[in-house]
Amino acid sequence: MTTGTRRWAQSPPAAATAQGAAGVVVDGVATDILELRATGLPVFARGTSCLTTKRVRSAGSAVNVPVRCGGVQVNPGDWVLGDDNGVIVLSAEAAADVLGQALASDAAEPALLARIAASEPLESVLAI
């Protein structure tokens, strides 16, 4: 996870993959989008930019330390899950409960959609 007003470009994914990253969350923008997609490493960023990144003097980086990203505290061992809709951070303790609820919700969805398609009133199908 990278924080601050950083940009994420083509070179860092190679380093992230070498460190065992399954994906990257950038609290900033990404560039070199086509090249990033070609790596297959999922990258979630606040947006895109045509400005490139070049390493300038840096205090260095660290692995397995707490960080803040998007105003959220992320600790070593937390689950960071992302898809086209966004990113969520869960503590390891909460992840098991949330995962069970999410799987149950996904399993129930086809039946709900069938009831909606059959014109059943929404107030009897959904909790509205």
Side-chain angles (χ1 to χ4, degrees):
M1 185 164 298
T2 259
T3 61
T5 56
R6 305 208 188 262
R7 288 183 282 283
W8 192 263
Q10 185 178 4
S11 299
T17 302
Q19 292 291 316
V24 176
V25 178
V26 183
D27 194 2
V29 297
T31 189
D32 298 340
I33 301 304
L34 295 177
E35 293 84 354
L36 283 174
R37 287 184 185 141
T39 69
L41 184 71
V43 176
F44 300 92
R46 292 189 177 273
T48 59
S49 173
C50 63
L51 298 175
T52 189
T53 59
K54 297 296 177 208
R55 187 167 176 102
V56 185
R57 288 185 206 164
S58 171
S61 51
V63 176
N64 287 326
V65 297
V67 297
R68 289 195 66 77
C69 186
V72 175
Q73 179 75 28
V74 183
N75 297 300
D78 284 353
W79 287 36
V80 181
L81 308 170
D83 66 13
D84 291 338
N85 297 304
V87 176
I88 185 169
V89 177
L90 299 168
S91 69
E93 298 79 30
D97 289 337
V98 171
L99 181 60
Q101 292 172 16
L103 291 172
S105 176
D106 283 354
E109 192 167 26
L112 289 175
L113 294 174
R115 291 171 64 193
I116 293 169
S119 299
E120 190 171 328
L122 289 180
E123 59 271 7
S124 68
V125 177
L126 305 174
I128 55 174

